[in-house]
Amino acid sequence: MFDNIIGNNRNKQILKDIIENNNISHSYIFSGSSGIGKFLFAKEFAKAILCMNDTIRPCNSCKSCISFENGNNMDIIVIDEQEETIKTDTIKELTKNILEKPIQSSKKVYIINNSENMTKEAQNSLLKTLEEPPEYAIIILVTSNENLLLNTIKSRCIKVFFENLSDSEIKQYFNRNSIDFFDSMLYACGGSIKNAIELNEKRDIYEKIENIFSNIDYMNEIQVLGIKETILNNKDDIYFILDYINTLFYYKIIENINNTKKYKKCIEIIEETKIRLKRNSNYDMTIDWTLLAIYACLERND
Ligand SMILES: [Zn+2]
């Protein structure tokens, strides 16, 4: 169980124990940063709950496990919506569906991914089910922002907290998937596999940024401004790019412990850039300002 998921070993043990001791509660909150595997954990946990084998669960060979893998197990219902909110109608459907008994297993599992997207009204309509769930039903709320869940909801669930992955776990992920990585890419993930995947998909961009900002002390103005086009073309990722640039400056601070002032100033410039962009300043002009301000700041000797 959980062999294919990297990280959060303590939770693996906790959930395994729950299955082994058949000590399954009616409602759980799987909470932690986005992109660290909570949803995968929830699905694997559900599979084990529904498994019809008495000894090893999930057995991967019973009727339930096989239909689970094929995506046609009727005793698992997943709400994983791409929209920004999970509406009351969706939850009402769930609360209606939950009254129907399981089809093949002895339990029925509901997973609501990004459950913080439930509107307040939707949460309230889930509340009654959480208070008095049918004895066969298990509800798992997966969330990366627990604060948006009502206290009345939270108080009825067992919370399982997921930690960000460590650098060595992210490294393990890269190695397992044969992904070449550079160190700053590793640190820019911030412990999230989702970020790691995104960084890898757009590695050309990050490699270019890495080349400029790692060597920025030796670059002339034209070279520094050369990165502008890459940044302008990737407007959708701008906050991630800015954080990445900051990671590179943090690196420089660690490497040049006696001469950190100018790099700290660069980080301030990046933070100021974020504020300007959030204020809807002109995008092109803001990026121009950022690059020139960083250039000016590095040229000046401390
Ligand atoms: Zn099974």
Side-chain angles (χ1 to χ4, degrees), residues 51-53 56 58-62 64-65:
C51 174
M52 293 149 86
N53 194 306
I56 305 161
C59 70
N60 292 318
S61 56
C62 71
S64 172
C65 285

Side-chain angles (χ1 to χ4, degrees), residues 45-108:
F45 186 48
K47 187 177 165 191
I49 292 172
L50 298 177
C51 174
M52 293 149 86
N53 194 306
D54 288 332
T55 45
I56 305 161
R57 296 194 293 167
C59 70
N60 292 318
S61 56
C62 71
K63 220 169 133 189
S64 172
C65 285
I66 289 169
S67 59
F68 195 103
E69 281 306 315
N70 292 337
N72 52 19
N73 188 319
M74 304 288 277
D75 294 329
I76 166 94
I77 289 95
V78 176
I79 297 177
D80 182 25
E81 295 196 347
Q82 299 310 311
E83 272 116 88
E84 269 176 33
T85 55
I86 301 173
K87 299 198 175 71
T88 315
D89 283 351
T90 311
I91 300 301
K92 279 197 174 141
E93 236 168 83
L94 183 158
T95 55
K96 216 169 102 189
N97 180 293
I98 213 168
L99 300 173
E100 295 164 18
K101 293 206 165 102
I103 291 171
Q104 57 186 7
S105 297
S106 58
K107 306 272 185 198
K108 209 169 170 186

